[in-house]
Every structure is written in structure tokens, then in C-alpha cells.
mmCIF file of all heavy atoms in Angstrom:
data_model
loop_
_atom_site.group_PDB
_atom_site.id
_atom_site.type_symbol
_atom_site.label_atom_id
_atom_site.label_comp_id
_atom_site.label_asym_id
_atom_site.label_seq_id
_atom_site.Cartn_x
_atom_site.Cartn_y
_atom_site.Cartn_z
ATOM 1 N N ARG A 1159 51.206 -126.627 34.699
ATOM 2 C CA ARG A 1159 51.107 -125.712 33.540
ATOM 3 C C ARG A 1159 52.305 -124.874 33.452
ATOM 4 O O ARG A 1159 52.680 -124.125 34.362
ATOM 5 C CB ARG A 1159 49.868 -124.793 33.564
ATOM 6 C CG ARG A 1159 49.709 -123.837 32.412
ATOM 7 C CD ARG A 1159 48.472 -123.096 32.532
ATOM 8 N NE ARG A 1159 48.326 -122.089 31.394
ATOM 9 C CZ ARG A 1159 47.447 -121.104 31.368
ATOM 10 N NH1 ARG A 1159 46.489 -121.005 32.385
ATOM 11 N NH2 ARG A 1159 47.386 -120.364 30.351
ATOM 12 N N ARG A 1160 53.028 -124.976 32.314
ATOM 13 C CA ARG A 1160 54.325 -124.261 32.199
ATOM 14 C C ARG A 1160 53.946 -122.766 32.007
ATOM 15 O O ARG A 1160 53.085 -122.330 31.343
ATOM 16 C CB ARG A 1160 55.129 -124.773 31.078
ATOM 17 C CG ARG A 1160 56.642 -124.435 31.221
ATOM 18 C CD ARG A 1160 57.481 -125.008 30.150
ATOM 19 N NE ARG A 1160 58.831 -125.204 30.543
ATOM 20 C CZ ARG A 1160 59.695 -124.168 30.892
ATOM 21 N NH1 ARG A 1160 59.320 -122.969 30.890
ATOM 22 N NH2 ARG A 1160 60.943 -124.511 31.269
ATOM 23 N N ALA A 1161 54.849 -121.924 32.575
ATOM 24 C CA ALA A 1161 54.658 -120.481 32.528
ATOM 25 C C ALA A 1161 54.655 -120.086 31.011
ATOM 26 O O ALA A 1161 55.543 -120.423 30.265
ATOM 27 C CB ALA A 1161 55.760 -119.698 33.248
ATOM 28 N N GLY A 1162 53.701 -119.308 30.611
ATOM 29 C CA GLY A 1162 53.548 -118.824 29.282
ATOM 30 C C GLY A 1162 52.884 -119.751 28.279
ATOM 31 O O GLY A 1162 52.737 -119.436 27.073
ATOM 32 N N TRP A 1163 52.509 -120.917 28.740
ATOM 33 C CA TRP A 1163 51.835 -121.878 27.906
ATOM 34 C C TRP A 1163 50.396 -121.859 28.120
ATOM 35 O O TRP A 1163 49.834 -121.499 29.144
ATOM 36 C CB TRP A 1163 52.361 -123.300 28.143
ATOM 37 C CG TRP A 1163 53.769 -123.565 27.669
ATOM 38 C CD1 TRP A 1163 54.836 -122.718 27.800
ATOM 39 C CD2 TRP A 1163 54.284 -124.734 27.024
ATOM 40 N NE1 TRP A 1163 55.957 -123.258 27.256
ATOM 41 C CE2 TRP A 1163 55.590 -124.541 26.756
ATOM 42 C CE3 TRP A 1163 53.680 -125.897 26.588
ATOM 43 C CZ2 TRP A 1163 56.380 -125.422 26.177
ATOM 44 C CZ3 TRP A 1163 54.476 -126.916 25.994
ATOM 45 C CH2 TRP A 1163 55.794 -126.686 25.716
ATOM 46 N N ASP A 1164 49.570 -122.223 26.993
ATOM 47 C CA ASP A 1164 48.171 -122.235 27.142
ATOM 48 C C ASP A 1164 47.573 -123.719 27.193
ATOM 49 O O ASP A 1164 46.513 -124.025 26.790
ATOM 50 C CB ASP A 1164 47.447 -121.507 25.979
ATOM 51 C CG ASP A 1164 47.909 -122.121 24.652
ATOM 52 O OD1 ASP A 1164 48.614 -123.039 24.553
ATOM 53 O OD2 ASP A 1164 47.329 -121.575 23.585
ATOM 54 N N SER A 1165 48.434 -124.626 27.675
ATOM 55 C CA SER A 1165 48.044 -126.031 27.863
ATOM 56 C C SER A 1165 48.607 -126.513 29.213
ATOM 57 O O SER A 1165 49.555 -125.919 29.721
ATOM 58 C CB SER A 1165 48.632 -126.840 26.688
ATOM 59 O OG SER A 1165 50.029 -126.817 26.742
ATOM 60 N N ALA A 1166 47.958 -127.529 29.700
ATOM 61 C CA ALA A 1166 48.294 -128.082 30.965
ATOM 62 C C ALA A 1166 48.269 -129.666 30.882
ATOM 63 O O ALA A 1166 47.657 -130.166 29.958
ATOM 64 C CB ALA A 1166 47.386 -127.583 32.101
ATOM 65 N N ALA A 1167 48.859 -130.368 31.843
ATOM 66 C CA ALA A 1167 48.854 -131.832 31.811
ATOM 67 C C ALA A 1167 48.698 -132.379 33.222
ATOM 68 O O ALA A 1167 49.057 -131.719 34.226
ATOM 69 C CB ALA A 1167 50.125 -132.313 31.123
ATOM 70 N N LEU A 1168 48.143 -133.583 33.340
ATOM 71 C CA LEU A 1168 48.010 -134.291 34.564
ATOM 72 C C LEU A 1168 48.846 -135.565 34.550
ATOM 73 O O LEU A 1168 48.627 -136.366 33.626
ATOM 74 C CB LEU A 1168 46.526 -134.534 34.820
ATOM 75 C CG LEU A 1168 46.193 -135.554 35.943
ATOM 76 C CD1 LEU A 1168 46.640 -134.976 37.307
ATOM 77 C CD2 LEU A 1168 44.770 -135.934 35.964
ATOM 78 N N TRP A 1169 49.656 -135.762 35.521
ATOM 79 C CA TRP A 1169 50.398 -136.986 35.779
ATOM 80 C C TRP A 1169 49.821 -137.673 36.942
ATOM 81 O O TRP A 1169 49.591 -137.020 37.989
ATOM 82 C CB TRP A 1169 51.904 -136.662 35.917
ATOM 83 C CG TRP A 1169 52.831 -137.743 36.230
ATOM 84 C CD1 TRP A 1169 53.629 -138.360 35.337
ATOM 85 C CD2 TRP A 1169 53.076 -138.432 37.483
ATOM 86 N NE1 TRP A 1169 54.406 -139.388 35.925
ATOM 87 C CE2 TRP A 1169 54.053 -139.526 37.248
ATOM 88 C CE3 TRP A 1169 52.576 -138.318 38.773
ATOM 89 C CZ2 TRP A 1169 54.545 -140.300 38.190
ATOM 90 C CZ3 TRP A 1169 53.007 -139.208 39.752
ATOM 91 C CH2 TRP A 1169 54.043 -140.189 39.448
ATOM 92 N N SER A 1170 49.573 -138.965 36.864
ATOM 93 C CA SER A 1170 48.933 -139.710 38.069
ATOM 94 C C SER A 1170 49.562 -141.118 38.131
ATOM 95 O O SER A 1170 49.789 -141.725 37.136
ATOM 96 C CB SER A 1170 47.509 -139.685 37.878
ATOM 97 O OG SER A 1170 46.839 -140.355 38.969
ATOM 98 N N SER A 1171 49.699 -141.515 39.387
ATOM 99 C CA SER A 1171 50.263 -142.880 39.577
ATOM 100 C C SER A 1171 49.927 -143.325 41.023
ATOM 101 O O SER A 1171 49.745 -142.543 42.008
ATOM 102 C CB SER A 1171 51.748 -142.924 39.432
ATOM 103 O OG SER A 1171 52.308 -144.228 39.724
ATOM 104 N N ASP A 1172 49.637 -144.665 41.170
ATOM 105 C CA ASP A 1172 49.532 -145.316 42.440
ATOM 106 C C ASP A 1172 50.841 -145.847 42.986
ATOM 107 O O ASP A 1172 50.899 -146.527 44.006
ATOM 108 C CB ASP A 1172 48.435 -146.360 42.386
ATOM 109 C CG ASP A 1172 48.742 -147.451 41.370
ATOM 110 O OD1 ASP A 1172 49.860 -147.429 40.826
ATOM 111 O OD2 ASP A 1172 47.888 -148.272 41.168
ATOM 112 N N GLY A 1173 51.920 -145.601 42.187
ATOM 113 C CA GLY A 1173 53.216 -146.133 42.624
ATOM 114 C C GLY A 1173 53.441 -147.596 42.563
ATOM 115 O O GLY A 1173 54.420 -148.154 43.055
ATOM 116 N N LEU A 1174 52.575 -148.260 41.650
ATOM 117 C CA LEU A 1174 52.684 -149.739 41.549
ATOM 118 C C LEU A 1174 53.280 -150.119 40.256
ATOM 119 O O LEU A 1174 53.183 -151.225 39.818
ATOM 120 C CB LEU A 1174 51.304 -150.358 41.719
ATOM 121 C CG LEU A 1174 50.664 -150.106 43.120
ATOM 122 C CD1 LEU A 1174 49.305 -150.806 43.189
ATOM 123 C CD2 LEU A 1174 51.550 -150.614 44.222
ATOM 124 N N GLY A 1175 54.012 -149.247 39.554
ATOM 125 C CA GLY A 1175 54.700 -149.684 38.310
ATOM 126 C C GLY A 1175 54.370 -148.909 37.104
ATOM 127 O O GLY A 1175 55.091 -148.897 36.169
ATOM 128 N N THR A 1176 53.175 -148.207 37.046
ATOM 129 C CA THR A 1176 52.796 -147.499 35.865
ATOM 130 C C THR A 1176 52.305 -146.121 36.286
ATOM 131 O O THR A 1176 52.041 -145.837 37.463
ATOM 132 C CB THR A 1176 51.635 -148.244 35.054
ATOM 133 O OG1 THR A 1176 50.538 -148.332 35.935
ATOM 134 C CG2 THR A 1176 52.150 -149.585 34.645
ATOM 135 N N TYR A 1177 52.260 -145.224 35.300
ATOM 136 C CA TYR A 1177 51.584 -143.874 35.507
ATOM 137 C C TYR A 1177 50.808 -143.473 34.337
ATOM 138 O O TYR A 1177 51.075 -144.030 33.231
ATOM 139 C CB TYR A 1177 52.650 -142.854 35.914
ATOM 140 C CG TYR A 1177 53.704 -142.631 34.737
ATOM 141 C CD1 TYR A 1177 53.450 -141.548 33.840
ATOM 142 C CD2 TYR A 1177 54.810 -143.372 34.674
ATOM 143 C CE1 TYR A 1177 54.399 -141.275 32.837
ATOM 144 C CE2 TYR A 1177 55.759 -143.127 33.670
ATOM 145 C CZ TYR A 1177 55.524 -142.083 32.727
ATOM 146 O OH TYR A 1177 56.475 -141.872 31.716
ATOM 147 N N THR A 1178 49.839 -142.602 34.434
ATOM 148 C CA THR A 1178 49.208 -142.059 33.341
ATOM 149 C C THR A 1178 49.479 -140.613 33.152
ATOM 150 O O THR A 1178 49.854 -139.951 34.157
ATOM 151 C CB THR A 1178 47.630 -142.235 33.514
ATOM 152 O OG1 THR A 1178 47.213 -141.496 34.685
ATOM 153 C CG2 THR A 1178 47.226 -143.707 33.733
ATOM 154 N N ILE A 1179 49.384 -140.141 31.992
ATOM 155 C CA ILE A 1179 49.610 -138.724 31.710
ATOM 156 C C ILE A 1179 48.696 -138.263 30.607
ATOM 157 O O ILE A 1179 48.497 -139.012 29.586
ATOM 158 C CB ILE A 1179 51.132 -138.505 31.327
ATOM 159 C CG1 ILE A 1179 51.410 -136.984 31.320
ATOM 160 C CG2 ILE A 1179 51.452 -139.151 30.070
ATOM 161 C CD1 ILE A 1179 52.868 -136.691 31.364
ATOM 162 N N GLN A 1180 48.069 -137.100 30.719
ATOM 163 C CA GLN A 1180 47.110 -136.692 29.822
ATOM 164 C C GLN A 1180 46.947 -135.113 29.843
ATOM 165 O O GLN A 1180 47.206 -134.577 30.885
ATOM 166 C CB GLN A 1180 45.715 -137.302 30.035
ATOM 167 C CG GLN A 1180 45.092 -136.850 31.374
ATOM 168 C CD GLN A 1180 43.815 -137.559 31.672
ATOM 169 O OE1 GLN A 1180 43.841 -138.509 32.450
ATOM 170 N NE2 GLN A 1180 42.714 -137.079 31.105
ATOM 171 N N PRO A 1181 46.534 -134.550 28.735
ATOM 172 C CA PRO A 1181 46.247 -133.068 28.808
ATOM 173 C C PRO A 1181 44.950 -132.870 29.694
ATOM 174 O O PRO A 1181 44.117 -133.640 29.770
ATOM 175 C CB PRO A 1181 45.924 -132.724 27.333
ATOM 176 C CG PRO A 1181 46.451 -133.869 26.528
ATOM 177 C CD PRO A 1181 46.304 -135.086 27.421
ATOM 178 N N VAL A 1182 44.918 -131.662 30.332
ATOM 179 C CA VAL A 1182 43.752 -131.262 31.051
ATOM 180 C C VAL A 1182 43.340 -129.876 30.727
ATOM 181 O O VAL A 1182 44.192 -129.086 30.215
ATOM 182 C CB VAL A 1182 43.954 -131.400 32.582
ATOM 183 C CG1 VAL A 1182 44.229 -132.802 33.065
ATOM 184 C CG2 VAL A 1182 45.159 -130.476 33.054
ATOM 185 N N ASP A 1183 42.104 -129.566 30.962
ATOM 186 C CA ASP A 1183 41.600 -128.203 30.727
ATOM 187 C C ASP A 1183 42.393 -127.246 31.661
ATOM 188 O O ASP A 1183 42.583 -127.528 32.842
ATOM 189 C CB ASP A 1183 40.099 -128.170 31.067
ATOM 190 C CG ASP A 1183 39.433 -126.895 30.592
ATOM 191 O OD1 ASP A 1183 39.998 -125.822 30.788
ATOM 192 O OD2 ASP A 1183 38.346 -126.991 29.963
ATOM 193 N N ILE A 1184 42.842 -126.158 31.070
ATOM 194 C CA ILE A 1184 43.667 -125.228 31.893
ATOM 195 C C ILE A 1184 42.817 -124.592 33.033
ATOM 196 O O ILE A 1184 43.345 -124.066 34.014
ATOM 197 C CB ILE A 1184 44.287 -124.113 31.024
ATOM 198 C CG1 ILE A 1184 43.207 -123.283 30.292
ATOM 199 C CG2 ILE A 1184 45.317 -124.659 30.038
ATOM 200 C CD1 ILE A 1184 43.748 -122.089 29.603
ATOM 201 N N ALA A 1185 41.533 -124.645 32.987
ATOM 202 C CA ALA A 1185 40.655 -124.218 34.027
ATOM 203 C C ALA A 1185 40.752 -125.108 35.300
ATOM 204 O O ALA A 1185 40.502 -124.691 36.408
ATOM 205 C CB ALA A 1185 39.146 -124.189 33.541
ATOM 206 N N ASP A 1186 41.206 -126.362 35.064
ATOM 207 C CA ASP A 1186 41.408 -127.234 36.194
ATOM 208 C C ASP A 1186 42.892 -127.351 36.648
ATOM 209 O O ASP A 1186 43.207 -128.184 37.470
ATOM 210 C CB ASP A 1186 40.962 -128.662 35.798
ATOM 211 C CG ASP A 1186 39.497 -128.711 35.394
ATOM 212 O OD1 ASP A 1186 38.668 -127.984 36.078
ATOM 213 O OD2 ASP A 1186 39.124 -129.463 34.438
ATOM 214 N N ALA A 1187 43.717 -126.489 36.103
ATOM 215 C CA ALA A 1187 45.116 -126.434 36.414
ATOM 216 C C ALA A 1187 45.507 -125.111 37.051
ATOM 217 O O ALA A 1187 44.722 -124.151 37.028
ATOM 218 C CB ALA A 1187 45.967 -126.642 35.166
#
């Protein structure tokens, strides 16, 4: 979550060639 922002994001990967990225609830960030 960037300082001063009211949104957060999750980046995830198993390192096998792709990754996912999505917004997440700021309560979980």
C-alpha cells in the first residue's frame, strides 16, 4: 500500500513464468 493512498494491491507468483496482480482490501494490507 503506497503511503497516502487508500488502495492496496497483491502481487503473487510461483516463479514459473506468470504472476497475478489484483486489488485487495486495505484491511488485509
Side-chain angles (χ1 to χ4, degrees):
R1159 179 181 177 185
R1160 205 179 203 292
W1163 287 43
D1164 60 359
S1165 61
L1168 168 66
W1169 179 99
S1170 182
S1171 178
D1172 57 8
L1174 298 179
T1176 62
Y1177 63 94
T1178 62
I1179 191 164
Q1180 66 185 98
V1182 294
D1183 195 313
I1184 59 173
D1186 298 324

